[in-house]
Amino acid sequence: MTLIDQFGRTIQYLRISVTDRCNFRCRYCMPLEGLPWLPKSDILSYEEIAEVVRQLAPLGLRRVRLTGGEPTIRPQVSRLVAMLRAVPQVEDIALSTNGVKLPGLASELAAAGLDRVNISADSLRADRIVAIARRDLGFDPVQAAMAAESAGLDPIKLNVVVMRGTNDDEVVDFARLTLEHPWHVRFIELMPVGEMETLTDEHVVPSDEVLSRISTALGRLEASGGPARGNGPAAYWRLAGARGTIGVITPMTHTYCGSCNRVRLTADGRLRTCLFGDHEVDLRTPLRSGIPLEPFVRQAMAEKPQAHALLSRRNGGLRALSQVGG
Ligand code: SAM
Ligand code: SF4
């Protein structure tokens, strides 16, 4: 059985926000004072999240990603990974993290059944990391990626949100990492969503510019198939002789809604069919009443919008990507 939306897109991929909280306050994502956090009783337990996945699996769900907020700050997140690993239809379990806790957690997550990891890393310079994340937690992106690699997580992706005047002078340094390491460095166009007082359209750096700066400094980029698993909306390139690849994710300059195969589960159990749309279906109420979820999921699919409205400045009332798992 498959879940097909009204535009013929097959839905196989669920992004699960396990918490709306975070130990960082990235300038493009969360206000410094934080957000009004969800009450604990509204947040799905690990058992409830696993039950949603168990009910979606026979409908065609094959890939899940744990995200947030910061998923690694929720206690015992490996326990959830193990529960999802036990669902036979689930082929791929990934994690999106700011990487702070990876050196201590990567082996435990891998042992629980995590396949792969995306690490957000907006700078390679310690002072800049603190200026962007607005927390000094001693984060070192290279150390986090090496910890993930030694734990056997594969592929390893580093996600860089490029901001003009803040970190755009580091794109070549990030690209250089792919010469030495088998990592996939992906440059993401800044999205003007939520409450970023100081970041505007002027800070968006089009991905074409990022690629041209890299090829000017480091030589020709060959189009590449990218990592074997989880290609999603990125386009990939490779420097001659490089072990890793360079990807670009272009929500602002080229939309990829036509091939969107994903839906999102918020930490409080709402199924959100588009990152920026305001279509949400409550799964928590039926789940807690023991009512089967399939009709609610099919309703959500029928309402999945054709494309997001971000370019026309409508973001579905979203205050921050952390509220829906990015
Ligand atoms: N805390 C985890 C992390 O940072 O990877 C997972 C949640 S975070 C919301 C998911 C992704 O969204 C991160 O890669 C982050 O850089 C990205 N993101 C958040 N706000 C963004 C924005 N305004 N524009 C572009 N990317 C954004
Ligand atoms: Fe936290 Fe990730 Fe948002 Fe940064 S991007 S504030 S790490 S949720």
Side-chain angles (χ1 to χ4, degrees):
M1 210 182 309
T2 50
L3 277 176
I4 299 181
D5 77 358
Q6 56 177 332
F7 302 103
R9 295 169 297 192
T10 304
I11 308 301
Q12 299 185 310
Y13 176 26
L14 180 67
R15 295 175 72 101
I16 301 170
S17 173
V18 301
T19 177
D20 57 334
R21 297 172 192 234
C22 190
N23 47 356
F24 271 179
R25 293 287 183 274
C26 299
R27 284 177 55 205
Y28 50 76
C29 180
M30 242 189 228
L32 191 54
E33 68 281 9
L35 290 162
W37 309 122
L38 292 166
K40 287 246 159 59
S41 57
D42 283 3
I43 292 185
L44 296 188
S45 66
Y46 288 161
E47 285 70 20
E48 288 171 331
I49 294 173
E51 181 56 23
V52 171
V53 170
R54 278 193 288 270
Q55 292 201 35
L56 288 181
L59 305 179
L61 180 65
R62 295 294 173 266
R63 298 166 49 204
V64 295
R65 170 175 299 280
L66 303 182
T67 174
E70 176 47 43
T72 61
I73 65 167
R74 183 156 170 186
Q76 301 180 349
V77 70
S78 310
R79 194 165 70 81
L80 175 61
V81 171
M83 290 165 84
L84 300 180
R85 188 80 279 170
V87 181
Q89 295 94 333
V90 171
E91 293 164 5
D92 183 39
I93 306 178
L95 174 78
S96 284
T97 174
N98 61 27
V100 170
K101 287 180 172 273
L102 263 191
L105 265 186
S107 307
E108 181 185 320
L109 286 164
L114 186 72
D115 291 305
R116 58 199 183 88
V117 72
N118 287 11
I119 304 168
S120 296
D122 300 322
S123 175
L124 296 169
R125 305 183 194 177
D127 57 332
R128 269 200 192 164
I129 291 171
V130 176
I132 296 168
R134 299 185 294 187
R135 285 280 192 279
D136 187 356
L137 302 179
F139 175 52
D140 176 344
V142 172
Q143 188 196 18
M146 289 179 99
E149 191 179 342
S150 0
L153 299 173
D154 179 44
I156 289 163
K157 300 180 188 170
L158 292 176
N159 287 344
V160 187
V161 176
V162 186
M163 292 164 275
R164 198 177 297 286
T166 298
N167 64 350
D168 58 329
D169 56 345
E170 289 190 63
V171 297
V172 172
D173 294 341
F174 270 108
R176 216 176 263 122
L177 286 177
T178 68
L179 293 170
E180 197 184 327
H181 302 279
W183 303 339
H184 306 279
V185 173
R186 298 149 14 123
F187 297 100
I188 305 179
E189 287 172 349
L190 173 71
M191 291 180 267
V193 60
E195 303 183 357
M196 300 177 292
E197 320 82 36
T198 51
L199 293 170
T200 63
D201 284 0
E202 289 161 31
H203 300 96
V204 176
V205 182
S207 291
D208 292 346
E209 180 182 331
V210 170
L211 291 173
S212 109
R213 283 204 210 178
I214 293 169
S215 54
T216 304
L218 300 177
R220 218 164 89 81
L221 287 164
E222 300 276 355
S224 155
R229 275 197 289 191
N231 272 352
Y236 287 94
W237 308 85
R238 194 185 286 273
L239 288 163
R243 298 182 68 204
T245 66
I246 291 165
V248 290
I249 302 182
T250 57
M252 299 306 291
T253 57
H254 309 86
T255 60
Y256 32 77
C257 303
S259 58
C260 178
N261 65 352
R262 58 188 62 192
V263 290
R264 296 173 160 80
L265 183 67
T266 63
D268 57 348
R270 287 169 292 131
L271 194 64
R272 195 172 170 107
T273 55
C274 174
L275 178 53
F276 299 111
D278 43 16
H279 297 272
E280 283 183 352
V281 171
D282 172 26
L283 295 187
R284 191 184 65 204
T285 306
L287 186 67
R288 290 189 176 171
S289 317
I291 299 171
L293 299 178
E294 181 175 347
F296 299 91
V297 174
R298 294 218 178 270
Q299 178 200 337
M301 286 311 114
E303 291 168 0
K304 182 169 164 67
Q306 188 165 19
H308 70 67
L310 186 61
L311 299 180
S312 52
R313 293 297 173 269
R314 286 182 286 124
N315 63 26
L318 199 62
R319 294 184 64 193
L321 256 59
S322 63
Q323 292 181 316
V324 288

